[in-house]
Amino acid sequence: MSNSDLASRVPLRLPSASATFAIAIAGYLGVNLSPYMIGALQSALGADVLTASWIVTGALLATAIVGLAIAPLCAGPRRRLLARAGLALGVVGFGAAALLPLPGVVVGGLLLGGAGAGGAVAAAGAALAAFRNPDRVAGFNGLANRGIITVVLAVLPVIGLAPLEVFGALALFSLIGLLLSAWLPAAPVHGPQAGAAVAEAVPVEIPPTGHVRQIPVRSAATTRAVTIAGFTLLVTFALWAASEDSLWAMAGVMGTEQAGLTPEGLGIALSGATAGGLLGSLVLTIVGERLGRAAPLGILLVAGGALKIVEGFAADPTTFIVIFVAWNTIYALAFMYFVSTSAALDADGRWSGPLLAVYLVGSSLTPVIGAALVEVLGFQGFAIALGVASFVLAVPTVAVARLSTRLQREERAATSTTTEEVPA
């Protein structure tokens, strides 16, 4: 059981922040580039859209499965090793797919690179919990992710969308993460037997008074409560992410058939949604933890659910675009609050590590899920179902967020008041 608390968290510094954010971007880049990857696969293999889509889905599922499998290990001393191994696989796999456009090499390279990205996702997710003020850190991570992804999505079509450019970009970001991995925050070490390793994860200052802060240990009851809350958060987040990404996946079809959205209008909607995500990230970096997590998450999930329902009844392009951008802004902000909630539960990243991988499980399957729901329920029924899902999921989410906020406040108070005499 973890004895993590605020005393084992480190301040946000440029080297550690750059490493964590860069590795997270490398792990998630495949999700953002999936439309370009499908096109590159068609170009390289002459595959049809369905075949190319399934190959990309396989790579994303490999990322999710590997990320979930190794997330517990990333909460321990092997975090950097696992990150480096995953990033190295990304460089080799994506690099091979970029440089050797042979069917076997391309498919194998993408699956290998996708599996490697799982190591990056789990390690970066766990490392997010190492910092103080999880809310502000989640905001900065979202800001870096959205900002860089926006640039990449804009630049790649200008350079080219052939396998060399698309898969090469994935390999390049894996290489950047690998070079920065030395600054990835290590997992905290607890107990007197930790010895010198504590100095790396928990800088301890001995003031002139001869006292140091004693790291408080969580009770068994608290640890059980955190474990239950952590698993609840993972399940809730997976279901919420699937409902959110189903709307994203169906946005083009829904906007075109229901609201008469043109391809140009869809481009405006998607770019506006990205800008909304940047705005949401900026808001969280400014607000930090001042509003807590329970109230913001509850409000965001209810508001997001309402907007999804309204989107199902939008009958003209302008209304559809405005609602879509507003919904995605709320979605991005809620996503970051989920991340900060998981990070606050445990400083070793026991929950924030698998959280990012859990998202990919639902995300990789949402085109199929969304299409099936639309076929059965129609656009309006589809939107209502997604909205109701948000309302229902808000209940357990708020409960977990309230616990994470309370624990962080208690740990801060314990850290500031508990002292231990240092032997002469």
Side-chain angles (χ1 to χ4, degrees):
M1 299 295 179
S2 172
N3 298 328
S4 307
D5 76 331
L6 186 68
S8 62
R9 301 183 193 262
V10 298
L12 191 67
R13 301 283 187 247
L14 183 60
S16 55
S18 299
T20 304
F21 299 162
I23 293 172
I25 290 169
Y28 258 49
L29 190 60
V31 179
N32 294 281
L33 295 188
S34 56
Y36 294 164
M37 292 172 67
I38 292 172
L41 280 168
Q42 289 180 278
S43 172
L45 308 180
D48 57 35
V49 175
L50 182 60
T51 301
S53 297
W54 274 112
I55 294 172
V56 173
T57 296
L60 297 180
L61 282 176
T63 300
I65 292 169
V66 171
L68 286 172
I70 70 169
L73 297 177
C74 290
R78 297 185 181 88
R79 178 182 299 165
R80 288 177 183 164
L81 176 63
L82 291 168
R84 287 167 178 159
L87 292 163
L89 286 178
V91 173
V92 172
F94 293 134
L99 297 173
L100 300 171
L102 303 173
V105 175
V106 171
V107 174
L110 290 182
L111 294 177
L112 182 66
V121 165
L128 287 172
F131 298 103
R132 298 170 191 166
N133 198 328
D135 303 279
R136 185 162 284 123
V137 171
F140 277 117
N141 179 61
L143 197 62
N145 188 295
R146 290 272 178 160
I148 292 177
I149 294 301
T150 299
V151 173
V152 172
L153 289 174
V155 170
L156 265 184
V158 177
I159 298 175
L161 295 177
L164 178 63
E165 289 80 15
V166 177
F167 305 146
L170 293 165
L172 176 61
F173 274 86
S174 294
L175 179 60
I176 293 171
L178 185 60
L179 295 176
L180 295 175
S181 62
W183 290 285
L184 187 71
V189 182
H190 304 280
Q193 75 281 5
V198 176
E200 179 183 6
V202 189
V204 178
E205 295 180 359
I206 303 178
T209 58
H211 293 78
V212 296
R213 293 175 301 176
Q214 183 183 34
I215 298 179
V217 178
R218 286 178 174 172
S219 67
T222 300
T223 300
R224 283 194 298 272
V226 169
T227 300
I228 294 171
F231 280 114
T232 300
L233 186 67
L234 292 182
V235 173
T236 302
F237 184 67
L239 295 173
W240 175 81
S243 73
E244 299 293 302
D245 276 15
S246 292
L247 179 57
W248 178 272
M250 292 294 104
V253 177
M254 189 172 173
T256 301
E257 297 186 14
Q258 173 183 293
L261 196 66
T262 63
E264 292 77 14
L266 180 60
I268 293 172
L270 295 178
S271 60
T274 302
L278 286 170
L279 178 62
S281 303
L282 184 61
V283 167
L284 190 53
T285 61
I286 296 171
V287 172
E289 61 184 20
R290 285 195 285 270
L291 300 178
R293 299 186 192 96
L297 259 175
I299 293 170
L300 289 169
L301 263 63
V302 170
L307 286 172
K308 284 188 284 189
I309 292 174
V310 173
E311 186 79 312
F313 293 84
D316 65 272
T318 302
T319 303
F320 187 92
I321 292 172
V322 170
I323 296 172
F324 187 80
V325 171
W327 160 74
N328 199 256
T329 302
I330 288 175
Y331 154 77
L333 192 52
F335 183 101
M336 288 176 283
Y337 267 113
F338 269 107
V339 172
S340 67
T341 298
S342 66
L345 283 175
D346 215 315
D348 59 14
R350 183 184 176 195
W351 304 110
S352 61
L355 187 85
L356 297 183
V358 159
Y359 173 83
L360 291 177
V361 174
S363 178
S364 60
L365 297 174
T366 47
V368 178
I369 296 172
L373 288 175
V374 167
E375 184 176 354
V376 173
L377 303 174
F379 290 130
Q380 293 181 352
F382 167 69
I384 292 172
L386 297 184
V388 171
S390 290
F391 300 154
V392 173
L393 294 173
V395 177
T397 301
V398 167
V400 176
R402 183 178 288 116
L403 174 65
S404 77
T405 302
R406 178 174 63 80
L407 287 175
Q408 188 177 359
R409 288 171 179 167
E410 290 176 355
E411 290 166 351
R412 180 176 286 110
T415 300
S416 62
T417 58
T418 307
T419 60
E420 177 182 63
E421 190 73 32
V422 178

